[in-house]
Amino acid sequence: MTSSTRVMFPRMPRGPRQDRRYLERPRQQGLVQQAVTEAFRKLDPRLAIANPVMFVVWCGTVLCLALTLDPRLLDAQAGARERGFNALISLTLLATLLFANFAEALAEGRGKAQADALRRTQARTQARRQMADGSIELVDSSALRKGDVVLVQGGDVIPADGEVIAGVASVDESAITGESAPVLKEAGSDVAGSVTGGTRILSDQLTLRISADPGKGFIDRMIALVEGAERSKTPNEIALTVLLAVLTQVFLIAVATLPPVADVLGQAPSVVTLVALLVALIPTTIGGLLSAIGIAGMDRVAQFNVIATSGRAVEACGDINTLVLDKTGTITLGNRLAEEFMPVGGHTTAELAEVALAASCFDQTPEGRSIVRLAEKLGAALPFTPEQATGIEFSARTRMSGSDTPDGIEFRKGAVDAIKGFVRSRGGTVPDELDACFEQVSRLGGTPLAVCRGHEVFGVIYLKDIIKPGIRERFDQLRRMGIRTVMLTGDNPITAGVIAREAGVDDFIAEATPEDKIAVIQQEQKLGKLVAMTGDGSNDAPALAQANVGVAMNSGTQAAKEAANMVDLDSDPTKLIDIVTIGKQLLITRGALTTFSIANDIAKYFAILPALFAGVGLEALNVMRLASPQSAILSAMVFNALIIPALVPLALKGVKFRPMSADQLLRRNLLIYGAGGVVAPFIGIKVIDLAIGALRLI
Amino acid sequence: MLRVRYVRFWLPLLLVAGTLLIAPLFRSSQPPLQSHTLALLLCGTTALAAYLFAVIAQPEKF
C-alpha cells in the first residue's frame, strides 16, 4: 500500500478521539462493589498462589491469625497482651491482602465491563447460507463455519466475519467502531473487502465467504482479550516476577535465620514480629499492584479503540525504537487533490485536461476523482464512451493506471518514471520540459503525475499533499523519546524529501514497493531495534507479521488483521504514535512503582529493626522516635497496607508520560519515586505511630 | 491415581511427616504443643522457600 496514486485509508475518523470511544465506561460505583467482593474471593489460596509476594503475605496472615486465636501455640508464656498485638498485626496483614486483591479486581472489572459492552453486539441471527447447488437455506449464525457462503441484504445483521466475494453495499460498523458514518464494502477491494460479524448492512446485497468459525471471530477474540481470559504474563512481567520472588526468597531466608542470631544476643523476637519484619521487607507494594498495572495497560489501549492480541504487544510498544510509517494517511491527509495541469511538448492545458480525464475516468480513488473534477471544471470531455473502454487499475509494479479504448488508444497517468518508460516502450520520445515540471512539483512537496496518450506525453498533474496538522510536533516528541521515524512512500525522492523535511521524519524511502517495507523492518531488527508499523492491505500482511508491533486497520483485509498484533477500530494510522506512548507509559509505571516499593524498605528497617533488637543497643536506629517497639512494628505494617490503595489510581491511570530520553526519564523517576519512596514512609510511619499513640491502640 | 500427582495431596502429608520427624528435636526446650507448632512452622517455611524457588525456576507457570 505504498502507491503514489492510491489512498490507503479512505475512511478517516471524524470528530475528537474521545468522542469516538466505542467501549462504554462502566459505572465506577458498580465496579468498586464488584471489586470488593472479588477481593475477598481472591483470598482463596488456590488463587493467591499465583502471586508469590502476596502468597507469602497470605501465609504470614494465616500464621498470625492462628497465633491470635491461641498465642500460646509458640510461646507458653504468652497472654492477652500478645493476643491483642497479634490481632492488630493479623488485621493489618489481612487488609494488605485485600487491598492488593482489590487493585487487581478493579482492573479486571473494567476489562469485564468492556467485554460485556462488546458481547451486546453479538446477537445471534439467522443467516442465508448458499449451498453447493446454489440453493439457499436459513440457518442460525452459530451454525456457520469457515468457508460457508452467505447472502446478506439491506437491514440484515452480518452473521459472522467474512470476505466480500460479490456485491457492493454500505455497512453500519458503529457497533464496533462507534463511527456512525456507513462504510462502503465491495468485492475485490483490498481495504473494503472484509466485514465483521455483528455489524449491519444498510442497503443493497453482499455475498460473503465466512472467514471464522463460531467463537473465533473478531469480536470473540476482542472479548477474550479485554476480559483477560487469554492474558498471559508478558516478558517484562515474568522478569519482574522472578526479581520479586528472588527478593522474597532472600528476605524469607534472612528472617528465618534471625531467631538463632537474636538468641545469641539474648533476645527472643516473637514469631508475629518476625512475620511483620518479613512482610515489611518483601516488595508488597509492587507485588500487590503488578497485575493491576498490566491489566490497566491493556485497558488504556482498548480505550483508544485499539484491540491488542496480547499484553506482550502493548508492552513491546514501550520498547519500540523505530516507527515505519506510510506517508499517505499517516503523515499527510489521505486525500491528495489535483491542483493544476502543467502541459508539456507544445500541448495546451485543455488537451492535457482531456487526456487526464480519459486516463482517470475509471479511477475511483479520491485523487482520481479530483482529477476528473478539475478536468471537467476546465471544460474537458471524454473522448470515448466509457462502456466501450477498459479501465487499467493501478498496481505497485506498474505505478500507473488509465484506460484502453477499443480502437487501441492507451491513456495512462502515473509516476513520471513509469510514464517515461511506457512512452519509450511505445516508440515515443519524452520532452525535456517534463523533467522541469516534475522537479517544480516535487520541490513544492506535491506529487507529479505524468499523463500520456500512447507514445505521446501531454504533461504533468500537480497533486497537492497536505501534511497533517501537529504531526511535526508528534515526531519531535518521538525523537525526544529516542524513537526514529522512517517514512515510506511511493513518491519520487524529491517529493518524498520535501514532505519528510516538512513533517520532520528522521528518514524516508521513496518509490517504495511493498517488499521495501519488510526490507526496512528486517534491516532495523538486524541492528537490534524493535519496529512498529501500520498496514491495512493483504500486501502489508508479511510486514505486519515481521514487525515487532504491527497495527492493522479495522477497515483492512482479514489477512492484515490476522498478521498484526493490534487492530485499530478507528482505522487511524496516526494512532500508532499514541499506542507507543501507552506502551512506554505501561513500562514507566511498572518501573516507577517497583522503584518506589523497593525504596520504601529503608524506612521500614529503621522502624522494625530497632524494635526487634531494642535491648542490644540498636535504639539509636530509632531515628523516627517511634513510641514503642510494638507501635513501631504496627505503624510499619499499617503504612505497608495503606500505600497499596493509595497507589491504585496511579497503577490504573499510569504515570504521566513526558516525552524525553530514557536517561532523563530514569533520572526523573529515580528522583520522584526513588527519593519519594525513601522519604514518604518516614513521614507516613511517624504519623501512623502518633495516631496509634493517640488512639491508645497499644 | 491422578490425584497423587497433585502438590495439594502430597504437601499436607509432607508437612505432617516433617512435623512429626522434627518435633522431638525441640522437645528438650519446649512443651509438646510448642515443639510441634515450631516444627510445623519450620516445615511450612521450607515449603514456602521451595515454592519461591519453583516460581524463580518457572515464573510463567505462576
Side-chain angles (χ1 to χ4, degrees):
Chain A
M1 296 301 293
T2 51
S3 70
S4 58
T5 55
R6 289 172 70 183
V7 173
M8 285 174 49
F9 306 104
R11 192 179 64 83
M12 293 299 291
R14 300 167 191 87
R17 186 166 287 153
Q18 62 271 26
D19 295 343
R20 286 185 276 111
R21 287 175 179 168
Y22 79 102
L23 294 169
E24 295 167 23
R25 260 266 165 242
R27 283 176 59 204
Q28 200 66 25
Q29 194 187 356
L31 266 184
V32 170
Q33 279 171 358
Q34 274 180 0
V36 169
T37 316
E38 214 30 38
F40 280 95
R41 201 182 66 82
K42 281 173 182 278
L43 288 175
D44 182 339
R46 289 168 299 181
L47 301 174
I49 204 163
N51 185 332
V53 178
M54 297 319 289
F55 186 64
V56 170
V57 180
W58 187 92
C59 292
T61 311
V62 171
L63 180 60
C64 290
L65 280 172
L67 291 171
T68 303
L69 294 174
D70 186 357
R72 291 157 56 99
L73 274 177
L74 281 163
D75 181 3
Q77 311 300 319
R81 185 179 153 79
E82 281 77 13
R83 187 194 294 268
F85 178 68
N86 293 358
L88 285 171
I89 294 292
S90 303
L91 285 175
T92 317
L93 291 180
L94 188 62
T96 310
L97 283 174
L98 288 172
F99 289 147
N101 290 349
F102 174 78
E104 189 177 280
L106 193 62
E108 282 175 351
R110 300 200 318 181
K112 280 177 184 157
Q114 289 171 352
D116 289 342
L118 281 169
R119 210 169 265 120
R120 283 196 286 275
T121 67
Q122 278 201 313
R124 275 172 70 172
T125 182
Q126 293 281 300
R128 279 182 284 273
R129 181 162 61 185
Q130 193 172 38
M131 307 306 288
D133 59 2
S135 63
I136 302 289
E137 65 164 1
L138 266 182
V139 293
D140 192 88
S141 57
S142 60
L144 292 173
R145 293 290 177 275
K146 194 173 175 179
D148 283 352
V149 174
V150 295
L151 301 177
V152 283
Q153 59 189 33
D156 288 354
V157 172
I158 292 174
D161 294 0
E163 296 279 344
V164 181
I165 54 174
V168 180
S170 51
V171 173
D172 173 10
E173 291 189 330
S174 60
I176 57 164
T177 65
E179 177 63 65
S180 55
V183 184
L184 193 73
K185 297 287 179 185
E186 58 186 323
S189 165
D190 205 22
V191 294
S194 71
V195 290
T196 308
T199 56
R200 187 177 289 276
I201 180 167
L202 296 175
S203 63
D204 305 294
Q205 183 173 301
L206 291 175
T207 306
L208 310 174
R209 180 173 290 116
I210 300 301
S211 58
D213 286 331
K216 292 183 179 168
F218 183 57
I219 292 182
D220 296 298
R221 279 186 286 144
M222 282 162 63
I223 290 170
L225 287 165
V226 295
E227 212 168 26
E230 287 179 13
R231 192 181 125 76
S232 54
K233 279 187 176 159
T234 63
N236 258 308
E237 268 181 303
I238 289 174
L240 197 52
T241 304
V242 171
L243 172 72
L244 298 182
V246 168
L247 283 174
T248 308
Q249 183 76 290
V250 167
F251 287 127
L252 177 69
I253 293 168
V255 171
T257 51
L258 266 183
V261 177
D263 197 36
V264 171
L265 295 169
Q267 298 284 306
S270 74
V271 169
V272 171
T273 311
L274 291 173
V275 169
L277 176 66
L278 175 63
V279 172
L281 294 181
I282 62 175
T284 44
T285 313
I286 186 65
L289 295 173
L290 186 60
S291 55
I293 296 168
I295 297 165
M298 293 281 281
D299 179 56
R300 276 198 296 279
V301 172
Q303 288 306 312
F304 262 79
N305 267 11
V306 174
I307 298 298
T309 54
S310 65
R312 184 187 292 256
V314 180
E315 202 173 85
C317 288
D319 288 326
I320 287 299
N321 308 104
T322 307
L323 280 186
V324 177
L325 303 161
D326 274 309
K327 184 199 78 174
T328 312
T330 309
I331 296 168
T332 61
L333 292 174
N335 301 347
R336 289 174 298 183
L337 301 176
E339 178 81 2
E340 190 184 344
F341 290 128
M342 304 166 84
V344 297
H347 293 289
T348 63
T349 304
E351 287 171 337
L352 171 59
E354 185 182 290
V355 177
L357 177 64
S360 307
C361 63
F362 292 102
D363 186 352
Q364 291 306 307
T365 63
E367 288 104 328
R369 287 199 293 266
S370 79
I371 294 168
V372 170
R373 275 197 304 275
L374 183 63
E376 285 174 348
K377 197 173 149 190
L378 294 172
L382 262 184
F384 53 80
T385 315
E387 288 76 26
Q388 291 173 341
T390 313
I392 306 294
E393 275 199 29
F394 176 89
S395 82
R397 297 249 165 258
T398 61
R399 294 165 61 221
M400 56 185 173
S401 62
S403 53
D404 289 349
T405 61
D407 48 352
I409 302 174
E410 298 169 306
F411 295 94
R412 294 288 185 274
K413 68 167 197 303
V416 173
D417 280 349
I419 293 293
K420 276 183 183 175
F422 179 81
V423 167
R424 284 181 185 134
S425 72
R426 301 295 190 267
T429 54
V430 177
D432 294 338
E433 307 148 79
L434 185 66
D435 284 336
C437 284
F438 165 80
E439 283 187 22
Q440 190 186 340
V441 174
S442 299
R443 279 199 203 97
L444 291 168
T447 305
L449 287 186
V451 181
C452 70
R453 185 179 64 196
H455 62 274
E456 202 177 353
V457 178
F458 275 70
V460 166
I461 306 167
Y462 168 22
L463 284 182
K464 197 173 179 181
D465 250 326
I466 300 161
I467 292 173
K468 284 188 174 177
I471 200 84
R472 193 182 177 89
E473 289 71 30
R474 301 299 296 273
F475 289 145
D476 286 344
Q477 281 183 359
L478 290 170
R479 201 169 297 111
R480 286 203 293 278
M481 287 153 57
I483 296 172
R484 185 167 164 266
T485 46
V486 180
M487 179 183 87
L488 284 182
T489 173
D491 289 343
N492 65 73
I494 300 175
T495 305
V498 173
I499 301 271
R501 264 194 304 281
E502 279 184 32
V505 292
D506 298 310
D507 201 357
F508 67 91
I509 293 172
E511 293 173 347
T513 60
E515 290 76 23
D516 288 334
K517 269 189 184 174
I518 301 183
V520 170
I521 293 167
Q522 284 174 337
Q523 198 181 335
E524 292 288 318
Q525 286 174 333
K526 272 182 197 157
L527 297 171
K529 294 177 175 175
L530 296 185
V531 186
M533 69 157 286
T534 59
D536 64 349
S538 295
N539 59 5
D540 289 328
L544 284 167
Q546 178 72 38
N548 303 87
V549 175
V551 183
M553 301 296 106
N554 189 41
S555 59
T557 59
Q558 199 67 27
K561 286 191 229 176
E562 279 173 16
N565 41 22
M566 288 194 193
V567 178
D568 176 19
L569 298 174
D570 291 331
S571 305
D572 175 4
T574 323
K575 220 186 272 177
L576 182 58
I577 300 168
D578 297 315
I579 298 169
V580 169
T581 308
I582 293 171
K584 291 251 178 228
Q585 198 183 23
L586 171 66
L587 295 183
I588 292 167
T589 306
R590 203 177 279 154
L593 291 181
T594 306
T595 310
F596 187 87
S597 179
I598 293 170
N600 250 316
D601 277 0
I602 296 172
K604 293 175 201 165
Y605 291 128
F606 283 98
I608 296 182
L609 283 180
L612 208 61
F613 297 101
V616 291
L618 283 184
E619 293 87 346
L621 287 178
N622 186 9
V623 291
M624 288 178 270
R625 301 284 164 232
L626 303 175
S628 68
Q630 286 185 325
S631 169
I633 293 165
L634 187 60
S635 304
M637 286 295 90
V638 171
F639 178 83
N640 201 49
L642 291 181
I643 198 68
I644 295 177
L647 290 174
V648 164
L650 188 66
L652 297 185
K653 201 178 165 195
V655 171
K656 192 175 179 188
F657 176 73
R658 285 178 174 79
M660 52 178 76
S661 71
D663 286 345
Q664 287 171 316
L665 265 176
L666 185 66
R667 271 199 299 275
R668 186 174 182 278
N669 285 343
L670 277 178
L671 187 70
I672 296 174
Y673 297 97
V678 172
V679 175
F682 277 100
I683 301 166
I685 290 172
K686 179 66 186 172
V687 170
I688 295 167
D689 180 68
L690 291 172
I692 287 171
L695 295 169
R696 295 180 187 280
L697 283 176
I698 289 172
Chain B
M1 285 305 288
L2 197 65
R3 207 180 154 184
V4 295
R5 285 192 215 159
Y6 289 130
V7 174
R8 73 178 78 157
F9 177 78
W10 283 109
L11 190 63
L13 289 181
L14 284 172
L15 285 176
V16 170
T19 304
L20 293 175
L21 213 67
I22 300 171
L25 298 175
F26 303 112
R27 196 61 65 79
S28 58
S29 57
Q30 304 277 353
L33 173 68
Q34 282 75 17
S35 62
H36 277 89
T37 315
L38 199 55
L40 180 62
L41 183 61
L42 269 179
C43 290
T45 308
T46 310
L48 198 57
Y51 155 74
L52 288 170
F53 272 123
V55 173
I56 294 163
Q58 291 185 306
E60 64 285 344
K61 288 199 171 173
F62 289 88

